[in-house]
Amino acid sequence: MPVLVMKFGGTSVATLDRIRRAAKRVGVEVAKGYDVIVIVSAMSGETNKLVGYVDETSPLYDAREYDAVVSSGENVTAGLMALTLQEMDVPARSWQGWQVPLMTNSAHASARIEEIPTDNINAKFGEGMKVAVVAGFQGISPEGRITTLGRGGSDTTAVAFAAAFDAERCDIYTDVDGVYTTDPRVCEKARKLDRISFEEMLELASLGAKVLQTRSVELAMRYKVKLRVLSSFEEQSDEAGTLVCDEEEIMESNVVAGVAYSRDEAKMTLVSVADRPGIAAAIFGPLAEAGVNVDMIVQNISEDGRTDMTFSCPTTEVARAEKAMNDLKENGELNFAEIITDADVAKVSVVGIGMRSAAGVAAKMFKVLSDDGVNIQVITTSEIKISVLVARKYMELAVQALHDAFELDKA
Ligand code: ADP
Ligand code: ASP
Ligand code: MG
């Protein structure tokens, strides 16, 4: 039997009613003759609640126990989905990550999938089971501990299963009806795309568009998974939603494909560090060791052999970054006057493979922002994206202004 992977996100399984609705969609595919692997997220809000419990119990928590707690939301939905399918006379059973077993490395809270053996589930398909409901987001480490794949990780579970089982398609059911030119909740003119290239989706995801987890796009690209994003709230045809595919499968595209934003960024400046070879390594080595994901970096001009070093990181990592820097200062390994932290910034980015060959996108972006009085604090570019750091209060304005200026509402 051909295999289909269907993933339902948190809002799509938020209530028993919605689980029934999702189960009906699964029933439709079973009736077409597919063996279906359903990947479920925790019910909407559950994972946040569990993360809150952990933070309150232990601020500098043991990541193995964090995973033990936050993985549990998916277990509930997997069981409920299997029961709902059984009530509809569809032969189904639930699988937790360790039962598959979905093997990961030991990087708790952001583990990478290493292997998904197919024999257990295939044996059950052979015995007449039609649907394997798998708890998303979770796996098991070589040490036998439960791991999780990072926030939004059920998308990655879904794509990895599609690759392992050579599925005909991986359908990601969510609360929007596809991938848009930008987040439709921030810009009402956002336009749904019928297709988007893996490269552009990868950039948009890594720059904050949470409709797909970055790692899921990477895996789909590597294993040539036919990946589709669609709404669990509407009746669907085979053509619905957005197909994430190779660049070559897209006839014509705009220079800029989309705008992404990341709200929870912080900007930190180390004032007056020595301007000497090795200073960047002396700062960013220890930050990496402390688990701080540094994104943008700027070294300001130097005066009298001293310079300021500015970098950005997620707001959740500011405390760890400050501690790492202050420890270095106390140990005499790094000398600086002070740390200035601005935890009220956001990153706004434009993305498009057309930028490889079109000049002037950056200039236009900067002009649009200045016309709206938005001050740009830090800039980074790559071949197919330009990102700027701006005060958070300007984030939505910047997204909308860029969406207008690059005419993303027009195909
Ligand atoms: P799920 O719970 O189904 O995994 P998520 O909340 O993780 O859903 O992702 C869907 C959300 O992603 C949408 O509700 C939307 O607000 C947001 N989003 C951000 N950027 C985009 C985009 N470019 N296209 C579509 N949705 C986007
Ligand atoms: N429940 C997890 C989260 O909220 C994983 C997911 O939904 O993809 O991050
Ligand atoms: Mg998600």
Side-chain angles (χ1 to χ4, degrees), residues 1 25 62 178 180 310 318 326 333 339 378:
M1 292 286 184
R25 284 273 343 145
D62 173 346
Y180 279 70
T310 298
V318 164
N326 286 323
E333 291 167 52
I339 307 177
V378 182

Tab-separated table of all heavy atoms in Angstrom, residues 1 25 62 178 180 310 318 326 333 339 378:
chain	number	residue	atom	x	y	z
A	1	MET	N	0.845	-1.202	0.000
A	1	MET	CA	0.000	0.000	0.000
A	1	MET	C	0.886	1.260	0.000
A	1	MET	O	1.870	1.310	0.736
A	1	MET	CB	-0.851	0.037	1.285
A	1	MET	CG	-1.892	-1.052	1.352
A	1	MET	SD	-3.241	-0.694	0.251
A	1	MET	CE	-4.332	-2.052	0.653
A	25	ARG	N	-10.571	13.472	8.265
A	25	ARG	CA	-9.664	13.704	7.126
A	25	ARG	C	-8.789	12.465	6.907
A	25	ARG	O	-8.541	12.049	5.783
A	25	ARG	CB	-8.728	14.899	7.382
A	25	ARG	CG	-9.317	16.254	7.253
A	25	ARG	CD	-9.278	16.810	5.837
A	25	ARG	NE	-8.338	16.121	4.952
A	25	ARG	CZ	-8.542	15.915	3.672
A	25	ARG	NH1	-9.649	16.314	3.110
A	25	ARG	NH2	-7.631	15.320	2.933
A	62	ASP	N	17.719	20.745	34.312
A	62	ASP	CA	18.364	19.593	33.685
A	62	ASP	C	17.558	19.294	32.409
A	62	ASP	O	16.376	18.961	32.476
A	62	ASP	CB	18.277	18.427	34.689
A	62	ASP	CG	18.759	17.103	34.122
A	62	ASP	OD1	18.917	16.981	32.877
A	62	ASP	OD2	18.967	16.175	34.927
A	178	GLY	N	-1.876	27.578	4.027
A	178	GLY	CA	-0.677	27.398	3.223
A	178	GLY	C	0.412	28.335	3.684
A	178	GLY	O	0.285	28.990	4.722
A	180	TYR	N	2.337	31.718	3.186
A	180	TYR	CA	2.017	33.039	2.655
A	180	TYR	C	3.297	33.846	2.414
A	180	TYR	O	4.364	33.493	2.913
A	180	TYR	CB	1.119	33.797	3.644
A	180	TYR	CG	-0.345	33.420	3.563
A	180	TYR	CD1	-0.779	32.168	3.993
A	180	TYR	CD2	-1.281	34.301	3.049
A	180	TYR	CE1	-2.120	31.813	3.919
A	180	TYR	CE2	-2.628	33.964	2.977
A	180	TYR	CZ	-3.040	32.714	3.411
A	180	TYR	OH	-4.375	32.380	3.332
A	310	THR	N	29.016	44.469	19.012
A	310	THR	CA	27.567	44.300	19.168
A	310	THR	C	27.145	42.969	18.568
A	310	THR	O	27.642	42.588	17.509
A	310	THR	CB	26.826	45.450	18.441
A	310	THR	OG1	27.196	46.679	19.066
A	310	THR	CG2	25.313	45.281	18.523
A	318	VAL	N	19.637	35.985	27.009
A	318	VAL	CA	20.353	37.171	27.480
A	318	VAL	C	21.034	36.918	28.833
A	318	VAL	O	22.205	37.256	29.025
A	318	VAL	CB	19.389	38.385	27.582
A	318	VAL	CG1	19.996	39.491	28.416
A	318	VAL	CG2	19.050	38.892	26.193
A	326	ASN	N	30.344	38.392	32.085
A	326	ASN	CA	30.787	38.884	33.390
A	326	ASN	C	31.776	37.918	34.050
A	326	ASN	O	32.706	38.348	34.726
A	326	ASN	CB	29.585	39.163	34.294
A	326	ASN	CG	28.867	40.435	33.858
A	326	ASN	OD1	29.503	41.404	33.431
A	326	ASN	ND2	27.543	40.435	33.933
A	333	GLU	N	39.908	37.447	31.917
A	333	GLU	CA	40.149	36.973	30.545
A	333	GLU	C	39.657	37.950	29.496
A	333	GLU	O	40.029	37.848	28.326
A	333	GLU	CB	39.466	35.607	30.339
A	333	GLU	CG	40.128	34.491	31.124
A	333	GLU	CD	39.257	33.233	31.160
A	333	GLU	OE1	38.839	32.785	30.076
A	333	GLU	OE2	39.009	32.715	32.269
A	339	ILE	N	28.257	46.236	29.646
A	339	ILE	CA	27.410	45.567	28.654
A	339	ILE	C	26.121	46.368	28.559
A	339	ILE	O	25.489	46.633	29.579
A	339	ILE	CB	27.021	44.131	29.076
A	339	ILE	CG1	28.253	43.303	29.429
A	339	ILE	CG2	26.214	43.456	27.983
A	339	ILE	CD1	27.900	41.895	29.925
A	378	VAL	N	21.127	47.003	12.967
A	378	VAL	CA	22.158	46.073	12.496
A	378	VAL	C	21.659	45.480	11.184
A	378	VAL	O	20.450	45.290	11.004
A	378	VAL	CB	22.404	44.917	13.503
A	378	VAL	CG1	23.511	43.994	13.024
A	378	VAL	CG2	22.742	45.444	14.898
